[in-house]
Amino acid sequence: MKKYKIALIKGDGIGPEIVDEAVKVLDAVASCCDFDFAYEEVLMGGCAYDITGDPLPQETITTSLNSDAVLFGAIGGEKWDSLPREKRPESGLLRFRKELGVYANLRPAVVYDELVNASSLKPEIIKSVDIMVVRELIGGIYFGEPKGRDENKGWNTMVYTRSEIERIAHQAFKIAQKRDKRVCSIDKANVLDVSQLWRDVVTEVSAEYPDVELTHMYVDNAAMQLVLNPKQFDVMLTGNIFGDILSDEASMLCGSIGLLPSASIGDKIGVYEPIHGSAPDIAGQGIANPIATIASASMMLKYALHEEEAANKIDRAIKRALSEGYRTKDLAQYDAKEVCSTSEIGSIIANYAAKCKH
Ligand code: IPM
Ligand code: MG
């Protein structure tokens, strides 16, 4: 029997609770498929800093690189906010992404029919929304030099090289080919030189994908269009910070940020993680929504392990739990038949995933 090696990084806040549920669902699926998982837990974030003095111990990188995929919860919290920048949990995550070379962050924002009333937008605006944000993840202003601060000045630099833009653009076009064949590239080319290069290079790359329609949009307009008429988007191709912002906005089309998964991929090992943070305010209460992490585990099965059928089982199980009215607290006001704890909804989804037919 195949045994996949999964590095588990539970992290801080609600991280451990939600990763535990994703593991429960993965094991349930494995029980009716011809593979199994071997998990190895490693530390990152505030918990890693507390134990080792480093938010990203070397062992975490080594173990992750020796696995088939990384399943990640969330990191950070007020407790570590006053540390020097390089000791902060977020710095550990950014360094981790860089070490693993995961330059493409895929963030699907799909509105479940069952939750069409859960968004702050009108149902007719968001019904059937199916967007894939393809966010560049290891470049741009998050990493550009020079950066720094003194008493009176703080500075960061937004840099993109031609090769960084080319590789993320290829990803976006390839993904679009399997979807509705439309890429909207987001930039601020009316103001930023880096964005002008971005636009030119994306346009050049698009010549290799004549079957995909390319449009360009300024990021401020994109933020507006996302709430005005989100159905106009298929694939949104963005740089690092624009994608960070727009993917949080896109999550609200879906009702709760607790629903949105992501896959970070590159040339080596991929990282699968919810798009939300560690929510320290609700940690340990059993009210966090684990669906984003469970759906990230499904993306891991699909993109890293090529176990498409097993991934579909999880996706169908999530939908079934929602259509039968099971809701965690964040979605309790929306057609809930029963409000569940984190572990209850995890068990329900695990149960359905194990039963779903091939
Ligand atoms: C995300 C998060 C991270 C980011 C933070 C925690 C560093 O907001 O994954 O979207 O900005 O990339
Ligand atoms: Mg973010």
Side-chain angles (χ1 to χ4, degrees):
M1 181 148 55
K2 262 176 293 175
K3 209 175 189 78
Y4 295 118
K5 277 186 7 193
I6 308 298
L8 287 185
I9 303 180
K10 296 185 177 179
D12 308 316
I14 59 169
E17 302 161 57
I18 54 177
V19 170
D20 285 348
E21 297 315 309
V23 167
K24 197 191 267 179
V25 174
L26 282 171
D27 286 339
V29 166
S31 72
C32 55
C33 293
D34 56 352
F35 57 80
D36 207 355
F37 296 106
Y39 305 101
E40 187 158 354
E41 206 179 318
V42 280
L43 295 173
M44 195 213 294
C47 58
Y49 172 79
D50 287 348
I51 295 171
T52 70
D54 183 352
L56 179 64
Q58 182 57 42
E59 191 206 339
T60 299
I61 301 171
T62 314
T63 304
S64 299
L65 286 172
N66 284 323
S67 62
D68 294 307
V70 180
L71 185 63
F72 179 85
I75 48 112
E78 227 169 85
K79 181 177 169 200
W80 303 282
D81 278 354
S82 52
L83 289 173
R85 179 152 311 280
E86 72 280 5
K87 298 282 182 198
R88 287 183 55 144
E90 292 81 0
S91 301
L93 175 58
L94 296 187
R95 221 168 5 106
F96 185 66
R97 289 172 175 168
K98 194 81 169 175
E99 290 276 352
L100 267 64
V102 287
Y103 64 86
N105 184 213
L106 318 183
R107 297 190 158 185
V110 178
V111 174
Y112 292 104
D113 281 348
E114 294 76 11
L115 294 177
V116 77
N117 294 316
S119 172
S120 49
L121 297 185
K122 296 189 191 86
E124 61 269 27
I125 304 279
I126 52 130
K127 190 167 167 21
S128 311
V129 158
D130 181 354
I131 299 171
M132 178 67 92
V133 178
V134 178
R135 169 190 177 196
E136 200 290 328
L137 199 59
I138 55 173
I141 199 165
Y142 275 48
F143 292 91
E145 296 285 351
K147 63 180 176 206
R149 65 158 287 177
D150 58 29
E151 190 88 47
N152 300 312
K153 194 169 142 194
W155 60 98
N156 290 86
T157 308
M158 197 192 279
V159 194
Y160 271 116
T161 62
R162 169 174 287 278
S163 63
E164 284 174 322
I165 303 166
E166 280 170 356
R167 65 182 179 180
I168 191 71
H170 281 292
Q171 284 285 353
F173 286 112
K174 290 202 169 95
I175 288 166
Q177 281 181 322
K178 295 190 195 143
R179 297 172 46 98
D180 204 35
K181 300 188 172 54
R182 291 180 292 123
V183 170
C184 180
S185 174
I186 311 298
D187 62 40
K188 188 73 187 170
N190 50 345
V191 175
L192 303 175
D193 291 331
V194 57
S195 279
Q196 189 61 59
L197 178 73
W198 177 280
R199 190 174 278 223
D200 292 347
V201 174
V202 171
T203 305
E204 277 169 43
V205 172
S206 76
E208 292 178 45
Y209 302 87
D211 53 330
V212 179
E213 175 200 290
L214 171 67
T215 53
H216 301 276
M217 198 178 274
Y218 297 137
V219 62
D220 48 351
N221 185 24
M224 182 184 81
Q225 296 294 334
L226 254 184
V227 286
L228 181 72
N229 175 20
K231 276 181 243 185
Q232 69 184 285
F233 296 110
D234 177 27
V235 172
M236 297 180 87
L237 166 60
T238 77
N240 204 342
I241 198 164
F242 297 159
D244 180 46
I245 297 165
L246 292 178
S247 61
D248 267 32
E249 187 185 353
S251 78
M252 276 299 112
L253 307 171
C254 308
S256 168
I257 196 165
L259 295 168
L260 267 77
S262 85
S264 303
I265 57 180
D267 302 322
K268 297 179 257 183
I269 296 303
V271 184
Y272 298 82
E273 55 172 309
I275 79 155
H276 60 70
S278 61
D281 52 321
I282 61 161
Q285 298 175 35
I287 57 173
N289 188 343
I291 290 182
T293 316
I294 295 170
S296 301
S298 162
M299 291 186 89
M300 177 180 89
L301 284 166
K302 186 167 160 196
Y303 289 95
L305 311 178
H306 308 291
E307 297 286 359
E308 195 117 357
E309 188 44 49
N312 292 340
K313 278 172 187 273
I314 295 185
D315 295 346
R316 285 196 298 262
I318 294 172
K319 269 179 151 307
R320 181 164 164 203
L322 291 174
S323 71
E324 297 197 354
Y326 296 107
R327 304 275 186 272
T328 38
K329 199 175 163 213
D330 50 326
L331 293 167
Q333 305 132 273
Y334 306 106
D335 312 316
K337 192 188 86 190
E338 196 175 318
V339 179
C340 307
S341 69
T342 309
S343 95
E344 281 165 351
I345 195 139
S347 299
I348 289 164
I349 294 171
N351 204 14
Y352 288 163
K355 280 200 202 119
C356 282
K357 296 203 179 56
H358 281 277

